Amino acid sequence: MKQTKVLILGAGGAIAHHVIQFLQHHGNIHLTLFLRNKSHLKGIKGPNINIVEGDVLHHKQLNEAMKDQDIVYANLAGSLDKMARQIVEAMEKNGVRRLIFVTSLGIYNEVPGAFGKWNDSMIGNSLAPYREAADIIETSDLDYTVVRPAWLTDNEEVDYELTQKGEDFKGTEVSRKSVAAYIADLIQHPRKNIKASVGIDKPGTEGDKPSFY
Ligand SMILES: NC(=O)c1ccc[n+]([C@@H]2O[C@H](COP(=O)([O-])OP(=O)(O)OC[C@H]3O[C@@H](n4cnc5c(N)ncnc54)[C@H](OP(=O)(O)O)[C@@H]3O)[C@@H](O)[C@H]2O)c1
């Protein structure tokens, strides 16, 4: 049986941690965990896991890691615009087509009402590189899913609903574990939600701001 080879960029990140937990014992999936500091992986190892220390903005390291992969899942933060440019270029160069890329709610001004205003006042200033990353990915030829989570919690639950680009965003919050469950599902069913930008929130959390604020 051919294994699906998955490259996780930013594998030490919090959502990625749950994705690894969901997938690490699936014999049909091979994970390459790419991160700047492997001590962040807290002892994760196994026959289907390869760990690579590297920086996404380091051209050569990224290109090396990209070789022979089937799916790239990017769980990054910060200069997502620069990172998206490098990732798209490296994927095109190496013939890798499927990309799952985490951004944020609010990049298209898709959050309505009082919550939209509150969200903009809290994170509006930091969303420009996130929006640019989405634009770079959406204008590529890749089979992408841009994921736009609501405000993240560390609740031990999986409970989510999705909205598509062009629709209003719904709830205010969602657990990292839920976002990870959705991403793990995409990795296991890579034809789902192709060329899509998907909002993800917990049903019933509509309001003026997340419950923990
Ligand atoms: N907090 C919220 O409520 C919220 C809501 C919506 C969306 N988001 C966004 O969702 C995304 C994922 O969330 P999360 O909680 O999983 O984030 P996280 O734990 O901060 O993970 C992001 C990862 O990106 C890695 N990274 C940054 N620059 C890198 C580079 N140049 N090369 C390699 N790795 C790099 C970091 O690695 P290091 O450990 O080496 O720094 C970190 O592990 C973030 O972009 C976040 O902004 C957050």
Side-chain angles (χ1 to χ4, degrees), residues 1-204:
M1 181 183 55
K2 185 183 176 297
Q3 283 187 315
T4 303
K5 293 188 151 198
V6 182
L7 173 63
I8 303 186
L9 301 173
I15 297 173
H17 171 77
H18 291 288
V19 174
I20 295 163
Q21 298 295 328
F22 280 126
L23 297 177
Q24 65 177 335
H25 300 301
H26 283 256
N28 59 341
I29 289 179
H30 182 275
L31 299 175
T32 297
L33 309 182
F34 184 99
L35 73 170
R36 292 192 286 201
N37 181 344
K38 62 183 174 189
S39 71
H40 291 175
L41 284 176
K42 300 179 195 109
I44 289 174
K45 57 183 175 188
N48 303 332
I49 291 180
N50 179 29
I51 297 171
V52 176
E53 254 184 358
D55 189 312
V56 166
L57 294 172
H58 191 293
H59 195 71
K60 191 158 176 275
Q61 289 172 347
L62 183 64
N63 257 288
E64 281 297 314
M66 204 63 84
K67 287 193 172 58
D68 296 326
Q69 300 292 342
D70 299 306
I71 300 176
V72 175
Y73 151 43
N75 193 89
L76 299 161
S79 303
L80 288 198
D81 50 342
K82 293 192 184 74
M83 295 181 196
R85 210 167 275 120
Q86 297 262 24
I87 292 166
V88 168
E89 193 187 307
M91 288 181 70
E92 285 171 346
K93 187 172 169 197
N94 288 281
V96 187
R97 291 202 52 81
R98 187 71 176 97
L99 173 64
I100 300 162
F101 193 101
V102 179
T103 62
S104 171
L105 82 166
I107 59 171
Y108 310 115
N109 289 318
E110 79 280 25
V111 186
F115 176 48
K117 287 199 180 71
W118 180 87
N119 189 62
D120 197 45
S121 71
M122 296 294 283
I123 59 167
N125 288 342
S126 51
L127 285 182
Y130 281 55
R131 170 59 190 266
E132 200 177 330
D135 288 348
I136 290 163
I137 292 162
E138 290 173 61
T139 50
S140 76
D141 279 335
L142 298 176
D143 291 336
Y144 63 83
T145 309
V146 171
V147 181
R148 292 176 280 118
W151 283 68
L152 294 165
T153 73
D154 286 320
N155 295 345
E156 274 297 318
E157 62 182 12
V158 172
D159 188 9
Y160 66 85
E161 64 186 350
L162 305 176
T163 49
Q164 298 297 326
K165 187 175 179 184
E167 294 177 347
D168 280 353
F169 203 89
K170 284 192 177 161
T172 55
E173 58 187 76
V174 69
S175 71
R176 287 182 172 86
K177 193 168 184 178
S178 296
V179 180
Y182 171 58
I183 290 169
D185 184 47
L186 288 181
I187 288 171
Q188 289 171 280
H189 306 94
R191 304 313 299 165
K192 269 190 187 175
N193 292 173
I194 281 184
K195 301 218 187 274
S197 176
V198 178
I200 178 165
D201 68 281
K202 177 179 175 178

